[in-house]
Every structure is written in structure tokens, then in C-alpha cells.
Amino acid sequence: MRRLLWSLLTFVGVLLILGIGEHAFAQTAQQRQVADTVRAWDLLGAWSLDCSRPPANDNGYLNYEIRGPGIAMHVRNFGTSSDAHEVLEARPVEGGGLEITVRFQFESGAQMRRWVLVKRDDRIRAVSNVSVDNGS
């Protein structure tokens, strides 16, 4: 009886590990797709209203970086403060833009935002920026 119980528990354990591994692989595939899209759109690096000035509250630097095994990050630098958040989605949209979704996680709570960027003459402009949570 013990041998049967042990075999059953081992089998269930293997199934759980395989299920968790499959889920982790799916997330990694999504993260790689997002990173590839950010790279293809040539978004990596720092973007600012005035790149000749240092980061400050009125001149934030928005960086897009690839960290770890292909995780695209949206990194904000305001001089005295900075934060980093994972880019959850990045997909081309009609008209040549790029739609990006980022979940901002702070001690006070979380917010998911989606914006569309357009690029012209080596400049990037956000043409929309809304909260996924409430549409504002």
C-alpha cells in the first residue's frame, strides 16, 4: 500500500512540475516576443523631451531595455527618482505605430497603462496613453 501511495504521489508531483514548467515556458515565449518587437521597432535606449538636459522631474528619461533572458523593461528616470516595470505587450498597430502595455507596480498599488507610439524623423511621440484598468 505504501509503495502504491508513494508511486501515486511521485506521479502527481511530476505532473505538477511539468505543468509549472509549461506555464513558465509560455511566459518566457511571450516575453521574448515582446523583446523582439521592441528591438525591431528600434525602441531600445533613452528617450526624453530634451536629451541635452539631464534627467529631472520636468525632463524625465524613458528608457527601454532588455534585461535577463529577454525581458523588455520600461525604465523611468526623473533625476531624483527612478523605477522599472516590465513591458507586458508590444505590438505594431495600423498606421505604423507601436502599442505598448506596461503594468506599473508601486507600494501604493498597481496600474496597467497602454499607449501608442509613433516614430518620425528619429523622434518618438505618444499619440495615446490610457489606463487599461478604467480607460482614463
Side-chain angles (χ1 to χ4, degrees), residues 45-134:
W47 301 89
S48 174
L49 290 174
D50 185 351
C51 292
S52 69
R53 294 180 43 217
N57 282 337
D58 65 344
N59 192 52
Y61 275 50
L62 304 179
N63 297 294
Y64 292 91
E65 303 173 359
I66 305 298
R67 294 184 180 176
I71 299 172
M73 300 293 292
H74 175 68
V75 181
R76 304 182 313 165
N77 181 352
F78 299 103
T80 58
S81 66
S82 63
D83 53 46
H85 308 276
E86 185 177 350
V87 178
L88 300 178
E89 295 177 356
R91 65 180 192 86
V93 294
E94 191 174 322
L98 182 68
E99 182 181 84
I100 294 182
T101 304
V102 174
R103 178 181 172 85
F104 292 91
Q105 184 68 48
F106 302 105
E107 288 180 16
S108 60
Q111 181 185 52
M112 191 157 340
R113 297 202 66 84
R114 180 173 294 136
W115 55 90
V116 174
L117 302 174
V118 293
K119 190 190 299 186
R120 289 196 178 78
D121 301 326
D122 212 23
R123 292 175 175 250
I124 290 183
R125 182 175 151 214
V127 293
S128 72
N129 184 344
V130 297
S131 169
V132 175
D133 304 321
N134 63 21

